[in-house]
């Protein structure tokens, strides 16, 4: 089943901060739209980002800095409807399910996204919805009266649709509605509800923004990792995914990249998801000689599936020789790419033990890592 995500980031955000596209306003030091993009991406074979005219350069810079691989940019229109329509034009023909999401909702969790995809596949259209919890009152002629909240739902995004259905809905109706499911209903089709999540709220006001900042900083967890490999002749020395010219290299079942192994363990540790040996046992032939950058990518996938995303990391490599400083920028880049982070969130340091211990005697190299992750579900 092929899924295409359309992330709508073309709103003006006038209620939040005058003069700036809301999707570009910073949250936890990063442009807001990146949160939703990172959340949707693992579920999408193709990703379309709809941006305001004249702002594609700003979005492209942000995507590049955060190592967010291929994203197709589309230009937004006057109203949300036009923006989605422009995004729909870019959906590949072999797509089964289209997910349409507002960039102003930074926290769609993996289980919510899965439910929407499954609902859309089964019923044609699915939207995440939450029963209204507060009592509702309506103002009429200066007076207010209580409304029944029985059977009343708040609707969120991403909304999921079978491709043909959403294309038909947009072709059929020239009207603008506040969501896409409404247009599907105008065709006489039914929209199924999947369970929403209160954390998947929309940032509209400054208050919402403060809540989001609290979520980003409050839901973080920390883990540590440590690894050692023996130095032997006849092996390549690979650290942080960089091949370093040296007379000896690290011995191991994989490429024995102790730095990345420590990092994988720190990430898994922060999520309490076990360790690298459990996930990638050296008894398995498929991991023989595997580049550890692949293991790091797999670790990120395991985290995503379990509802976590990496925030930042710090690594220390302990080696008497060779001099590692010239290779550190390339290591940071490799790690940032594998984790979808900006390089400023990835720290790599190297030190010696002044000749003491096994590292000092050049019998082996050790590495320590600390990682911070955020709960996404
Ligand atoms: Mg190891």
């Amino acid at each position: 089943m092929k899924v295409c995500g359309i992330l709508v980031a073309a709103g003006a955000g006038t209620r939040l901060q005058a003069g700036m596209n809301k999707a570009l306003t910073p949250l936890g030091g990063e442009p807001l739209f990146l949160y939703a993009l990172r959340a949707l991406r693992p579920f999408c074979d193709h990703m379309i980002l709809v941006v305001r005219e004249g702002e594609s350069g700003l979005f492209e810079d942000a995507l590049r800095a955060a190592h967010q691989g291929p994203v197709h940019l589309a230009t937004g229109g006057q109203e949300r409807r036009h923006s989605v329509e422009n995004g729909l034009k870019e959906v590949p023909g072999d797509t089964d399910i289209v997910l349409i999401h507002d960039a102003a909702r930074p926290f769609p969790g993996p289980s919510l996204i899965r439910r929407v995809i499954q609902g859309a596949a089964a019923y044609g259209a699915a939207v995440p919805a939450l029963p209204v919890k507060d009592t509702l009152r309506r103002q009429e002629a200066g007076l207010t009266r209580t409304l029944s909240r029985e059977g009343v739902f708040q609707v969120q995004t991403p909304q999921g649709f079978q491709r043909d259905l959403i294309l038909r809905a947009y072709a059929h109706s020239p009207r603008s509605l506040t969501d896409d499911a409404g247009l599907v209903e105008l065709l006489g089709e039914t929209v199924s509800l999947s369970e929403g999540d209160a954390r998947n709220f929309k940032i509209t006001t400054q208050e919402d923004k403060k809540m989001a900042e609290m979520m980003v900083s409050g839901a973080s967890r920390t883990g540590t990792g440590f690894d050692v490999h023996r130095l032997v002749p006849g092996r390549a020395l690979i650290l942080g995914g960089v091949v370093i010219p040296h007379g000896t290299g690290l011995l191991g079942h994989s490429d024995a990249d102790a730095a990345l192994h420590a990092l994988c363990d720190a990430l898994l540790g922060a999520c309490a998801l076990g360790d690298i040996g459990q996930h990638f046992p050296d008894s398995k032939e498929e991991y023989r000689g595997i580049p550890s950058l692949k293991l790091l990518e797999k670790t990120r996938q395991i985290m995503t599936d379990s509802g976590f995303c990496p925030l930042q990391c710090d690594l220390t490599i302990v080696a008497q020789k060779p001099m590692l400083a010239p290779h550190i920028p390339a290591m940071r880049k490799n790690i940032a790419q594998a984790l979808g982070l900006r390089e400023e969130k990835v720290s790599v340091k190297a030190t010696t033990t002044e000749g003491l211990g096994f590292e000092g005697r050049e019998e082996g190299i050790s590495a320590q890592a600390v990682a911070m992750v955020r709960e996404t579900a």
Side-chain angles (χ1 to χ4, degrees):
M1 188 166 61
K2 290 239 186 232
V3 179
C4 174
I6 299 179
L7 184 60
V8 185
T14 40
R15 272 179 288 183
L16 196 66
Q17 201 168 328
M20 188 175 197
N21 183 344
K22 176 162 56 177
L24 287 167
T25 57
L27 173 64
E30 292 200 290
L32 176 63
F33 81 94
L34 282 175
Y35 288 81
L37 184 78
R38 287 194 181 108
L40 290 174
R41 165 145 247 162
F43 300 92
C44 296
D45 302 280
H46 190 80
M47 197 74 221
I48 296 163
L49 178 64
V50 187
V51 306
R52 279 203 306 204
E53 197 168 5
E55 286 186 341
S56 54
L58 294 171
F59 280 92
E60 274 164 2
D61 289 347
L63 288 168
R64 205 174 307 117
H67 295 288
Q68 289 302 313
V71 175
H72 195 99
L73 257 57
T75 308
Q78 274 291 315
E79 293 175 44
R80 185 182 184 282
R81 179 207 158 91
H82 304 122
S83 297
V84 176
E85 255 175 338
N86 289 349
L88 283 170
K89 284 180 196 152
E90 308 295 332
V91 172
D94 62 349
T95 299
D96 300 297
I97 303 294
V98 180
L99 287 180
I100 304 175
H101 185 67
D102 291 329
R105 292 185 192 271
F107 309 122
S111 32
L112 179 141
I113 297 169
R114 259 183 229 117
R115 287 194 291 271
V116 172
I117 293 173
Q118 282 161 6
Y123 304 106
V127 299
L130 278 178
V132 170
K133 283 189 285 192
D134 294 326
T135 298
L136 301 172
R137 289 184 79 80
R138 182 201 287 276
Q139 190 170 31
E140 275 169 9
L143 295 170
T144 64
R145 61 181 184 86
T146 303
L147 289 179
S148 169
R149 65 178 179 208
E150 187 90 13
V152 177
F153 290 87
Q154 287 178 295
V155 172
Q156 307 180 322
T157 68
Q159 302 192 345
F161 308 94
Q162 290 175 11
R163 175 178 170 269
D164 295 349
L165 181 59
I166 191 67
L167 290 180
R168 255 196 306 135
Y170 267 86
H172 175 259
S173 172
R175 285 170 59 185
S176 267
L177 294 176
T178 52
D179 76 345
D180 308 294
L183 291 175
V184 167
E185 270 160 0
L186 291 179
L187 288 177
E189 303 280 349
T190 51
V191 173
S192 73
L193 298 188
S194 63
E195 192 190 336
D197 188 327
R199 290 167 293 185
N200 181 32
F201 62 90
K202 185 172 183 175
I203 298 183
T204 308
T205 62
Q206 284 294 347
E207 233 180 346
D208 302 329
K209 184 76 189 307
K210 276 184 197 151
M211 286 244 296
E213 289 286 0
M214 279 164 65
M215 278 186 59
V216 170
S217 57
S220 67
R221 300 166 47 145
T222 308
T224 70
F226 176 70
D227 196 30
V228 176
H229 281 266
R230 186 186 292 274
L231 277 169
V232 294
R235 290 267 303 184
L237 176 62
I238 300 170
L239 287 167
V242 179
V243 182
I244 298 164
H246 193 51
T248 54
L250 294 172
L251 181 65
H253 183 67
S254 64
D255 67 357
D257 188 330
L260 293 189
H261 293 182
L263 178 56
C264 289
D265 263 352
L267 290 164
L268 291 168
C271 312
L273 284 171
D275 63 34
I276 190 172
Q278 261 168 271
H279 292 280
F280 316 112
D282 59 12
S283 55
K284 281 211 173 165
E285 206 45 41
E286 62 180 296
Y287 300 125
R288 181 178 298 278
I290 192 172
S292 296
L293 272 175
K294 282 268 177 296
L295 298 182
L296 185 60
E297 283 164 13
K298 284 175 188 279
T299 298
R300 183 186 171 199
Q301 189 60 52
I302 292 167
M303 294 171 65
T304 303
D305 293 345
S306 306
F308 297 96
C309 75
L311 280 180
Q312 62 180 81
C313 61
D314 181 24
L315 250 158
T316 303
I317 304 170
V318 185
Q320 193 62 39
K321 274 181 190 164
M323 180 76 155
L324 295 176
H327 305 287
I328 283 177
M331 294 184 199
R332 290 178 69 195
K333 189 170 181 194
N334 283 343
I335 294 167
Q337 266 169 353
L339 296 179
L341 291 174
R342 291 186 296 161
E343 278 160 52
E344 67 196 65
K345 301 280 186 183
V346 175
S347 160
V348 178
K349 315 186 300 295
T351 186
T352 71
T353 53
E354 305 210 323
L356 296 169
F358 67 84
E359 298 101 327
R361 292 189 298 270
E362 296 176 54
E363 292 165 5
I365 286 176
S366 70
Q368 300 175 30
V370 175
M372 264 175 76
V373 306
R374 182 170 63 79
E375 292 173 35
T376 59

